[in-house]
């Protein structure tokens, strides 16, 4: 399965004038360890990217299943532009930064990164943008990550639900037992609502706001949503969700 | 027997006792009195003779004895007058005799009371059966009272001349009652067991009476007695009344619980209040007590839980006279209890009416009856009911407001608007069915988003006007009514005016410009901007030469009318609205009323009897779908016969009336429903408002933005909700007109 167009694009991109290639004016490129380069070569699809096959192989070598949240952490950590793709630049720079040259080292770091994100330890940073890696960051990253075409503005409901189911348990890790159960129940109602009732795809704003909604409204008071107010800036879909709960007698006394 | 005797003698006593005094006063009072006065000192100064002492003792003994006789109920040994005179003599003999006599009387009375009456009272009051006990009690009192009366009569002289004059002494009756009251009622609120029993029994009897709803004579007598006894106390403590009132209220509080579960609560309450008050009035309670009782009853039965009572009762009361009474009570609660029940009343009336109107709307939606007349009917009905209460601006306002609220809810608004349009349409098509358009105005005034209504109204209006379906004068009248409501300067007002002005000018000024020789041509020149746009369709067709010429000539002449006419462009494209009457020559001549498009096709058959669809298409340049539509109207009237692939003029066409009217062409199928187009307009309006506010602020909090938008929109669109606005904001964010800076702050992206 050769894609001639893609190949040609890549060829020209690679050989384009230096003015267009040196878009990175941050740090002088660090010389990559040759072990890293050879790892990249093992998985590469073309000279600049690891493709879907390479990604699957890479994950297998790391013994991470694609459904594992660790796979998402890895994508976030390596700034994967979309599902099944890693950029060479990021791959080399980031691993070089953390001095990981072998699969074992990488697996080790990823586990640490994952735990750090959940603990809000802020130990690891986005090397290229010098920002700490956070759970919220990972959540927001996921939306971009899941886009299939460049100008896509929304994600379909089912995809959203799949990834909420992957991401939100991470958010809930720190939440205590009775509340956790109540929140989980609310989330199930949310999934049902967006799938059966709302049925509209989610914009980036809606996606991001839901994270806050979970944190500020649902986890704070999963029973009565005491901090919820229609006049607050929640996107419509959340107001409709509350309305939906109220109409179905699932919540009482929310103004 | 003794009773009868004493009463018979009593009848004779007044004449006996009064005669002497009459005589005295009528003859020579002065002399007589002076002799008495002179005599007295003589008596006292001289030593009293033995016979006098004897007489005195006899009188004393007899007077003292008669007390016992009366008290024991025995028969009097002498006549009243004899006793009276004896006592008078005794009293006049020496002043000290009066006080002695009084003392003896008091002692005897008190002994009698203590030994005879007290045990009886104790015995009676310990009885179980309330009614029986109380009637015994009443009887006991009556007997006692009767004895007091006899004594009072016999000792009238003492009463009148000594006891009454003495500020510290009680008259005989007073003293007797005093003993009674002291024993039975003293300290009634505290430790006195008897008074507690008595009052309790009284209360129980009153309760039974209230429940049975009939007046029991025993109860009534008892109440009267208690009132009487109570009034003997100086000063009468009001506590007695307070206890009574609070007991009455207690009972009503119990009763109201059961009444509340039954219909007509207020009416029941009024009935009972009336009875209660009437009862105490007849029993002789004073005004102060009555007013206090009434006030407390009103509070406890009506105003204590007024919100719920009124909410529950209004539907029953709305057209009953009791509502007026209730309303008048509401007026005084502010003064009586410092409680503003009026605003609650008004508010609840508003809610009730809104519900009623809502019901009317919902019902007509399901049963398909025309909602506007029904709604107006119900509105008038309630107007009448409320006017009966007297003039009240707040009620009037509430009435209008509740109609307005019902009409403007998101669910009803479009329905009402489309129904009102329909109604107006049928009004103008069959004006004889409707006496006036007052009812239209009632609903029109209630609609808040008048501009949205006017949008649809104008569309209908222009159709009616252009197709001559209604009387222009009447249309203008209604339009003027609308104008008066929305104000002259409103955008809609201006276009309405222009519309009628166009018609008028077209009728008066332009016909002389028309120069058709064999053809009557009535041009209408309408300003496009002000006429509803759906009337225009860009249609390209070829008109028959003579038609085209007429139009061209008119256009030229029109532009020559003057400077301002030059720049105007006449666009004749709205062919569907050109109405034409042509005469078809069949076996007989038949008048065909049709629009220009239909006429163009019909006229083609002058040249040839048979056309294929393609031929017609080429000749007319009409869009194929439109052409088919036109042909359908001709075929359906059998003017044209369709055979496979070709269309032929029906040369045998006949019509009884020699006149046919072709069906109008249907509007574009893309024509949206009222709801859809309104919805779209609104969303555009919301977005525009949001963008306007955001442009002004560049960076603004969501809460403020929502508030500002609601404020801006509310006048025109009462149905605008936070929900709608947020939906639009979401769209604007997704489409990157706005950006969320943080949780609550939005940024306008220029």
């Amino acid at each position: 399965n050769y894609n001639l167009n893609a190949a040609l694009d890549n060829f020209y991109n690679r050989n384009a004038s230096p003015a267009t290639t040196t878009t990175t004016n941050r740090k002088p490129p660090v010389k990559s360890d040759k072990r890293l380069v050879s790892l990249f070569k093992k998985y590469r699809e073309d000279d600049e990217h690891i493709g879907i096959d390479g990604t699957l192989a890479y994950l297998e070598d790391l013994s991470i299943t694609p459904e594992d949240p660790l796979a998402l952490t890895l994508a976030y950590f390596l700034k994967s532009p979309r599902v099944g793709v890693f950029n060479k630049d990021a791959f080399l720079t980031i691993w070089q930064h953390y001095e990981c040259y072998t699969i074992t080292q990488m697996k080790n770091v990823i586990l640490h990164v994952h735990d750090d994100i959940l603990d809000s330890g802020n130990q690891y940073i986005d090397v290229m943008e010098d920002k700490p890696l956070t759970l919220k960051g990972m959540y927001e990253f996921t939306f971009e990550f899941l886009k299939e075409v460049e100008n896509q503005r929304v994600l379909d409901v089912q995809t959203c639900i799949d990834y909420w189911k992957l991401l939100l348990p991470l958010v809930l890790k720190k939440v205590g037992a009775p509340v956790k159960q109540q929140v989980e129940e609310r989330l199930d109602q949310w999934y049902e609502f967006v799938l059966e009732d709302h049925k509209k795809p989610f914009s980036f704003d809606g996606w991001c706001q839901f994270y806050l909604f979970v944190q500020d409204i649902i986890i704070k008071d999963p029973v009565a949503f005491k901090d919820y107010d229609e006049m607050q800036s929640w996107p419509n879909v959340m107001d409709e969700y509350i309305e939906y709960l109220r109409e179905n007698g699932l919540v009482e006394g929310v103004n | 027997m003794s009773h009868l005797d004493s009463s018979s003698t009593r009848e004779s006593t007044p004449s006996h006792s009064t005669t002497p005094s009459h005589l005295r006063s009528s003859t020579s009072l002065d002399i007589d009195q002076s002799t008495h006065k002179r005599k007295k000192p003589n008596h006292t100064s001289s030593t009293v003779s033995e016979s006098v002492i004897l007489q005195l003792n006899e009188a004393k003994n007899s007077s003292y004895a008669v007390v016992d006789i009366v008290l024991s109920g025995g028969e009097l040994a002498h006549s009243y007058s004899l006793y009276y005179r004896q006592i008078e003599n005794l009293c006049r003999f020496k002043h000290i005799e009066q006080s002695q006599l009084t003392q003896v009387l008091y002692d005897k009375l008190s002994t009698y009371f203590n030994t005879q009456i007290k045990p009886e009272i104790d015995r009676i009051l310990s009885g179980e059966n309330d009614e029986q006990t109380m009637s015994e009690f009443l009887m006991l009192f009556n007997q006692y009272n009767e004895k007091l009366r006899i004594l009072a009569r016999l000792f009238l002289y003492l009463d009148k001349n000594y006891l009454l004059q003495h500020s510290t002494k009680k008259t005989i009756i007073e003293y007797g009652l005093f003993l009674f009251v002291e024993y039975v009622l003293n300290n009634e609120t505290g430790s006195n067991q008897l008074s507690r029993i008595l009052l309790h029994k009284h209360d129980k009897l009153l309760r039974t009476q209230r429940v049975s709803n009939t007046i029991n004579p025993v109860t009534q007598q008892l109440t009267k007695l208690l009132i009487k006894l109570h009034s003997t106390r100086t000063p009468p403590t009001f506590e007695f009344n307070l206890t009574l009132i609070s007991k009455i209220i207690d009972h009503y509080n119990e009763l109201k619980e059961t009444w509340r579960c039954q219909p007509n609560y207020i009416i029941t309450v009024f009935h009972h209040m009336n009875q209660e008050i009437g009862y105490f009035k007849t029993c002789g309670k004073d005004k102060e007590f009555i007013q206090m009782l009434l006030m407390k009853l009103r509070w406890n039965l009506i105003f204590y839980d007024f919100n719920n009572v009124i909410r529950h009762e209004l539907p029953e009361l709305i057209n009953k006279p009791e509502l007026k009474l209730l309303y008048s009570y509401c007026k005084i609660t502010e003064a009586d209890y410092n409680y503003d029940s009026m605003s609650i009343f008004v508010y609840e009336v508003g809610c009730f009416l809104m519900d009623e109107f809502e019901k009317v709307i919902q019902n007509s939606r399901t049963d398909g009856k025309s909602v506007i007349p029904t709604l107006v009917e119900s509105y008038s009905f309630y107007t009448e009911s409320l006017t009966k209460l007297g003039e009240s601006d707040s009620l009037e306002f509430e009435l209008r407001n509740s109609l307005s609220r019902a009409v403007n809810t998101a669910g009803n608004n479009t329905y009402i608007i489309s129904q009102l349009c329909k109604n107006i349409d049928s009004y103008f098509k069959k004006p004889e069915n409707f006496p006036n358009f007052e009812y239209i105005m009632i609903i029109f005034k209630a609609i808040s988003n008048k501009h949205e209504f006017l949008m649809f109204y104008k569309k209908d209006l222009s159709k009616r006007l252009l197709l001559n379906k209604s009387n222009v004068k009447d249309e203008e009248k209604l339009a003027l009514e609308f104008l008066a409501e929305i104000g002259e300067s409103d955008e809609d007002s201006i276009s309405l005016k222009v519309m009628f002005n166009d018609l008028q000018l077209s009728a008066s000024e332009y016909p002389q410009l028309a120069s058709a020789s064999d053809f009557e041509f009535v041009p209408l020149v309408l300003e496009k901007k002000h006429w509803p746009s759906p009337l225009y369709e860009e249609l390209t067709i070829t008109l028959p030469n003579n038609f085209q010429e007429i139009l061209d000539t008119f256009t030229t002449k029109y532009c020559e009318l003057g400077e301002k006419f030059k720049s105007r462009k006449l666009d004749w494209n709205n062919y569907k609205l050109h109405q034409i009457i042509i005469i078809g020559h069949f076996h007989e001549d038949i008048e065909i009323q049709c629009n220009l498009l239909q006429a163009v096709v019909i006229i083609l058959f002058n040249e040839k009897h048979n056309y294929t669809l393609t031929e017609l298409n080429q000749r007319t340049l009409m869009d194929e779908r439109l052409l088919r539509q036109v042909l359908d109207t001709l075929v359906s009237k059998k003017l044209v016969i369709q055979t496979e692939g070709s269309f032929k003029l029906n040369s045998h066409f006949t019509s009884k009336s020699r006149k046919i009217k072709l069906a109008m062409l249907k509007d574009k199928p893309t024509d949206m429903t009222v709801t859809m187009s309104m919805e779209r307009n609104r969303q555009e309006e919301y977005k525009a408002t949001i963008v306007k506010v955001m442009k002004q602020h560049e960076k603004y909090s969501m809460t403020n933005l929502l508030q500002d938008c609601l404020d801006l929109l509310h006048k025109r669109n009462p149905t605008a909700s936070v929900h709608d606005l947020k939906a639009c904001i979401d769209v604007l964010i997704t489409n990157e007109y706005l950006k969320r800076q943080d949780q609550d702050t939005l940024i306008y992206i220029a």
Side-chain angles (χ1 to χ4, degrees):
Chain A
N1 264 349
Y2 290 105
N3 187 334
L4 188 61
N5 278 336
L8 278 173
D9 275 353
N10 278 321
F11 177 81
Y12 285 114
N13 279 343
R14 207 174 354 135
N15 294 304
S17 65
T20 52
T21 47
T22 54
T23 44
T24 49
N25 49 358
R26 296 165 230 113
K27 291 172 194 165
V30 187
K31 181 88 177 85
S32 304
D33 190 284
K34 64 175 187 289
R35 282 169 292 177
L36 264 183
V37 177
S38 73
L39 263 181
F40 174 77
K41 278 187 181 154
K42 180 180 172 193
Y43 302 121
R44 53 165 254 175
E45 183 182 73
D46 55 52
D47 285 348
E48 288 300 319
H49 305 101
I50 293 173
I52 183 70
D53 296 338
T55 302
L56 288 173
Y58 185 39
L59 286 176
E60 205 181 323
D61 290 349
L62 286 165
S63 52
I64 296 172
T65 59
E67 298 78 32
D68 194 322
L70 278 175
L72 201 56
T73 309
L74 180 70
Y76 175 48
F77 181 70
L78 289 182
K79 295 175 81 71
S80 160
R82 57 183 188 275
V83 181
V85 180
F86 290 104
N87 284 341
K88 178 186 175 186
D89 186 27
F91 186 87
L92 297 180
T93 319
I94 293 166
W95 284 131
Q96 184 69 46
H97 177 85
Y98 289 103
E99 298 172 354
C100 292
Y101 312 116
T102 65
I103 290 290
T104 327
Q105 285 171 328
M106 288 173 177
K107 171 79 189 232
N108 202 9
V109 165
I110 274 302
L111 286 172
H112 278 108
V113 170
H114 189 72
D115 289 345
D116 181 65
I117 287 177
L118 295 192
D119 289 345
S120 319
N122 296 346
Q123 300 271 323
Y124 292 88
I125 55 156
D126 176 338
V127 176
M128 291 155 133
E129 290 181 33
D130 204 19
K131 280 196 310 204
L133 298 177
T134 62
L135 189 52
K136 183 164 181 270
M138 181 154 106
Y139 177 89
E140 286 173 5
F141 156 84
T142 307
F143 188 90
E144 294 298 318
F145 173 66
L146 292 174
K147 291 204 303 197
E148 281 164 8
V149 291
E150 192 49 42
N151 285 324
Q152 188 176 335
R153 280 184 173 148
V154 289
L155 284 185
D156 69 87
V157 174
Q158 193 52 55
T159 312
C160 288
I161 291 179
D162 291 345
Y163 278 84
W164 277 322
K165 286 186 174 168
L166 195 67
L167 281 160
L168 295 177
L170 305 181
V171 179
L172 288 182
K173 273 230 161 106
K174 285 277 155 73
V175 177
V179 178
K180 186 170 181 176
Q181 223 165 9
Q182 289 163 335
V183 174
E184 277 165 356
E185 201 176 310
R186 288 300 185 204
L187 290 178
D188 287 340
Q189 289 163 350
W190 165 258
Y191 301 144
E192 194 179 326
F193 160 72
V194 290
L195 201 61
E196 305 296 335
D197 201 282
H198 184 66
K199 295 180 184 166
K200 290 184 204 98
F202 276 80
S203 68
F204 182 61
D205 183 61
W207 172 264
C208 295
Q209 288 293 309
F210 185 62
Y211 182 84
L212 297 171
F213 189 76
V214 171
Q215 277 201 321
D216 296 353
I217 304 296
I218 303 188
I219 293 181
K220 264 203 186 143
D221 180 8
V223 179
F225 303 111
K226 66 178 162 53
D227 284 345
Y228 168 79
D229 179 355
E230 197 197 20
M231 283 306 277
Q232 281 167 346
S233 58
W234 302 116
N236 217 17
V237 53
M238 281 147 225
D239 296 335
E240 281 172 9
Y241 167 63
I242 300 280
E243 185 80 4
Y244 166 86
L245 293 180
R246 213 180 313 161
E247 273 170 13
N248 290 290
L250 298 168
V251 70
E252 277 173 19
V254 177
N255 50 8
Chain B
M1 274 307 284
S2 68
H3 228 79
L4 263 177
D5 272 352
S6 60
S7 67
S8 66
T9 36
R10 189 169 38 161
E11 270 171 24
S12 58
T13 19
S15 57
H16 278 287
S17 61
T18 46
T19 327
S21 68
H22 271 296
L23 277 174
R24 253 185 271 157
S25 59
S26 62
T27 52
S28 52
L29 182 89
D30 290 337
I31 305 165
D32 234 6
Q33 269 191 343
S34 61
T35 50
H36 283 304
K37 270 184 183 170
R38 250 179 279 133
K39 263 182 188 170
K40 245 172 152 181
N42 284 348
H43 270 290
T44 46
S45 62
S46 68
T47 50
V48 185
S49 74
E50 220 159 277
S51 66
V52 172
I53 294 184
L54 212 67
Q55 258 185 349
L56 180 71
N57 282 338
E58 198 184 316
K60 248 190 204 172
N61 290 337
S62 164
S63 308
Y64 294 173
V66 80
V67 179
D68 292 330
I69 295 174
V70 170
L71 289 177
S72 65
E75 265 183 63
L76 296 180
H78 308 287
S79 70
Y80 267 74
S81 55
L82 185 77
Y83 283 121
Y84 181 87
R85 245 177 284 123
Q86 257 183 4
I87 291 161
E88 184 183 3
N89 288 339
L90 186 62
C91 293
R92 282 161 69 169
F93 177 69
K94 261 187 189 172
H95 190 261
I96 189 153
E97 294 298 336
Q98 297 187 25
S99 72
Q100 271 177 7
L101 186 57
T102 306
Q103 200 47 54
V104 169
L105 204 56
Y106 278 7
D107 286 348
K108 282 185 187 290
L109 257 179
S110 131
T111 321
Y112 172 73
F113 184 78
N114 286 334
T115 56
Q116 304 292 314
I117 301 296
K118 266 189 189 176
E120 269 300 282
I121 294 180
D122 290 348
R123 184 190 63 79
I124 289 172
L125 286 184
S126 64
E128 283 297 317
N129 184 313
D130 299 319
E131 192 176 334
Q132 198 194 328
T133 335
M134 284 304 103
S135 72
E136 277 182 49
F137 180 77
L138 283 169
M139 212 181 326
L140 176 69
F141 175 80
N142 283 340
Q143 283 168 3
Y144 178 64
N145 195 34
E146 190 53 46
K147 285 173 180 166
L148 292 179
R149 286 173 167 280
I150 297 171
L151 287 178
R153 193 141 284 139
L154 291 169
F155 290 86
L156 183 63
Y157 186 87
L158 184 70
D159 254 356
K160 250 180 23 185
N161 293 295
Y162 178 67
L163 296 175
L164 259 180
Q165 318 296 330
H166 233 283
S167 61
T168 58
K169 308 258 182 205
K170 292 183 166 63
T171 63
I172 297 163
I173 289 184
E174 273 172 4
Y175 183 74
L177 287 180
F178 163 78
L179 289 173
F180 198 91
V181 170
E182 261 324 273
Y183 186 61
V184 175
L185 284 183
N186 185 30
N187 195 13
E188 77 263 11
T189 52
S191 54
N192 191 336
Q193 189 71 20
L194 287 178
S195 85
R196 251 192 293 144
I197 295 174
L198 180 63
L199 295 179
H200 181 66
K201 285 187 189 291
H202 177 229
D203 182 48
K204 266 159 88 181
L205 287 179
L206 286 177
R207 279 169 179 250
T208 342
Q209 183 169 283
R210 267 173 222 130
V211 175
S212 69
N213 221 347
T214 44
I215 288 175
N216 181 343
V218 174
T219 316
Q220 196 170 22
Q221 279 174 38
L222 181 61
T223 310
K224 280 181 180 168
L225 171 62
L226 286 175
I227 292 168
K228 179 178 159 188
L229 291 182
H230 177 248
S231 66
T232 61
R233 316 193 56 180
T234 44
T237 46
F238 204 72
E239 225 169 286
F240 174 77
N241 283 337
L242 287 181
T243 328
L244 180 58
I245 289 178
S246 86
K247 281 193 172 157
I248 295 173
I249 297 298
D250 283 350
H251 187 219
Y252 275 109
N253 280 341
E254 285 165 30
L255 286 175
K256 88 174 168 192
E257 293 310 317
T258 53
W259 293 343
R260 286 289 288 276
C261 313
Q262 294 158 3
N264 291 325
Y265 173 75
I266 290 281
I267 293 174
T268 318
V269 163
F270 282 168
H271 172 75
H272 278 268
M273 274 169 64
N274 207 13
Q275 285 213 326
E276 194 72 31
I277 296 298
Y279 175 76
F280 281 105
K281 261 187 191 162
T282 28
C283 287
K285 270 288 180 195
D286 54 18
K287 217 175 146 191
E288 195 186 358
F289 173 87
I290 299 287
Q291 277 178 347
M292 175 110 166
L293 177 61
L294 190 58
M295 196 169 117
K296 294 243 174 188
L297 281 174
R298 279 202 305 258
W299 173 257
N300 280 281
L301 294 178
I302 303 172
F303 294 110
Y304 176 73
D305 187 20
F306 190 52
N307 294 45
N308 286 326
V309 167
I310 185 80
R311 186 167 308 156
H312 191 256
E313 288 296 304
L314 259 179
E316 286 288 338
L317 276 182
I318 194 76
N319 205 29
K320 297 218 170 85
E322 280 83 357
L323 187 68
K324 190 168 181 178
L325 184 58
L326 182 63
Y327 181 71
S328 65
Y329 282 165
C330 286
K331 281 186 188 163
I332 52 175
T333 56
E334 185 85 67
D336 280 353
Y337 326 109
N338 197 13
Y339 173 73
D340 181 13
S341 63
M342 193 48 104
S343 57
I344 295 174
F345 182 84
V346 171
Y347 171 78
E348 288 296 339
V349 165
C351 292
F352 165 74
L353 291 175
M354 158 132 180
D355 282 355
E356 289 299 294
F357 295 140
E358 178 71 34
K359 263 186 234 159
V360 170
I361 296 174
Q362 293 315 327
N363 285 344
S364 67
R365 274 186 153 174
T366 47
D367 65 17
K369 272 189 192 159
S370 181
V371 65
I372 305 294
T374 336
L375 198 55
V376 171
E377 220 168 86
S378 131
Y379 179 81
S380 318
F381 171 79
Y382 291 119
T383 316
E384 206 179 305
S385 310
L386 293 183
T387 347
K388 283 185 197 151
L389 300 183
E391 275 205 11
S392 160
D393 289 346
S394 51
L395 275 179
E396 248 173 69
F397 172 80
E398 208 50 46
L399 177 67
R400 271 181 278 124
N401 188 36
S402 50
L403 178 66
S404 190
R405 279 193 295 162
V407 161
N408 291 310
T409 56
N412 294 337
N413 184 259
T414 36
Y415 173 67
I416 291 293
I417 285 182
S418 67
Q419 286 295 312
L420 186 58
C421 286
K422 264 193 199 160
N423 231 266
I424 294 175
D425 221 39
S426 45
Y427 172 81
F428 283 113
K429 283 175 185 166
K430 279 199 174 128
E432 63 277 7
N433 290 357
F434 304 90
N436 54 41
F437 43 61
E438 216 170 279
Y439 73 98
I440 296 177
M441 292 312 293
I442 289 176
I443 304 294
F444 177 73
K445 283 178 191 168
I447 293 174
S448 310
N449 47 342
K450 295 192 171 54
H451 64 289
E452 285 183 328
F453 160 75
L454 287 172
M455 188 171 87
F456 296 101
Y457 160 73
K458 276 199 293 193
K459 202 172 128 192
D460 289 349
L461 169 69
S462 57
K463 243 187 225 164
R464 287 194 300 271
L465 290 176
L466 298 180
L467 300 174
N468 285 328
K469 287 202 167 156
S470 56
N471 181 321
V472 183
K473 283 276 165 273
D474 286 347
E475 289 276 14
E476 195 167 1
K477 239 198 226 159
L478 180 63
L480 283 175
E481 294 259 355
F482 289 157
L483 277 182
E485 231 2 82
I486 56 178
E488 299 265 322
S489 57
D490 192 276
E491 212 177 295
D492 289 311
S493 304
I494 295 168
S495 61
L496 275 176
K497 274 196 211 157
V498 171
M499 284 167 76
F500 284 104
N501 198 31
D502 281 349
L503 289 181
Q504 202 214 331
L505 276 180
S506 300
S508 60
E509 303 295 323
Y510 307 141
Q512 55 254 36
L513 303 181
S515 61
S517 48
D518 51 353
F519 209 99
E520 195 189 350
F521 174 53
V522 186
L524 277 178
V525 181
L526 314 174
E527 195 172 335
K528 192 171 183 173
K529 188 178 137 200
H530 294 291
W531 288 75
S533 53
L535 290 177
Y536 302 96
E537 279 177 82
E538 289 301 322
L539 299 174
T540 42
I541 62 163
T542 325
L543 291 179
N545 283 340
N546 49 345
F547 284 9
Q548 192 62 53
E549 255 170 51
I550 293 167
L551 296 181
D552 289 345
T553 326
F554 180 81
T555 310
T556 326
K557 287 194 177 168
Y558 181 83
C559 291
E560 285 164 1
L561 273 177
E563 209 38 52
K564 65 174 180 179
F565 292 90
K566 248 185 207 165
S567 54
R568 292 188 184 169
K569 189 171 162 261
L570 293 185
D571 178 353
W572 299 100
N573 259 346
N574 47 342
Y575 300 116
K576 279 187 192 172
L577 293 168
H578 291 244
Q579 286 193 80
I580 291 194
I581 297 171
I582 52 180
I583 307 292
H585 306 289
F586 300 94
H587 289 300
E588 49 195 7
D589 288 354
I590 288 173
E591 194 180 295
I592 306 167
Q593 200 178 347
C594 58
N595 68 31
L596 190 56
L597 297 173
Q598 290 160 330
V600 165
V601 175
I602 295 171
I603 286 169
L604 280 179
F605 286 99
N606 277 339
E607 298 173 24
K608 192 172 132 181
H609 277 251
N610 230 327
Y611 286 98
T612 62
L613 190 66
T614 332
E615 278 174 319
L616 285 172
N617 202 350
Q618 283 163 355
R619 291 296 300 271
T620 57
L621 290 180
M622 255 185 241
D623 163 75
E624 191 180 316
R625 201 180 53 80
L626 181 66
L627 180 60
R628 275 191 178 282
Q629 264 191 324
V630 172
L631 284 166
D632 281 348
T633 61
L634 302 182
V635 171
S636 75
K637 288 277 179 187
K638 299 204 171 74
L639 202 59
V640 165
I641 297 164
Q642 180 177 13
T643 51
E644 282 168 45
S646 74
F647 295 88
K648 183 172 172 256
L649 188 73
N650 178 8
S651 48
H652 303 293
F653 184 80
T654 54
S655 163
K656 269 182 198 164
S657 60
R658 295 192 167 195
K659 245 184 198 177
I660 59 159
K661 191 173 171 187
L662 294 180
M664 276 185 59
L665 292 174
K666 288 275 179 309
D667 284 326
K668 281 184 289 183
T670 50
D671 204 7
M672 289 179 295
T673 62
V674 171
T675 328
M676 275 164 63
S677 59
M678 219 150 101
E679 199 49 49
R680 212 182 57 180
N681 278 341
R682 281 183 188 173
Q683 279 190 6
E684 289 310 313
E685 192 173 350
Y686 297 162
K687 280 188 204 163
T689 315
I690 294 165
V691 169
K692 195 169 114 191
V693 174
M694 283 308 294
K695 229 178 186 171
Q696 195 183 342
H697 291 274
E698 286 183 356
K699 195 167 132 186
Y700 207 37
S701 99
M702 179 82 124
T703 322
N704 290 342
L705 173 66
L706 290 173
Q707 198 53 58
D708 286 9
C709 291
L710 283 180
D711 290 348
L712 283 172
L713 285 168
H714 230 260
K715 253 194 185 158
R716 278 163 72 85
N717 246 327
T719 55
S721 67
V722 172
H723 183 273
D724 297 333
L725 286 172
K726 276 189 164 185
C728 291
I729 293 176
D730 285 352
V731 173
L732 290 170
I733 291 177
T734 309
N735 293 334
E736 295 177 358
Y737 289 97
L738 302 178
K739 202 180 138 197
R740 212 185 271 269
Q741 191 187 40
D742 55 46
Q743 176 74 35
D744 192 46
T745 318
L746 292 175
I747 298 176
Y748 175 70
I749 303 173

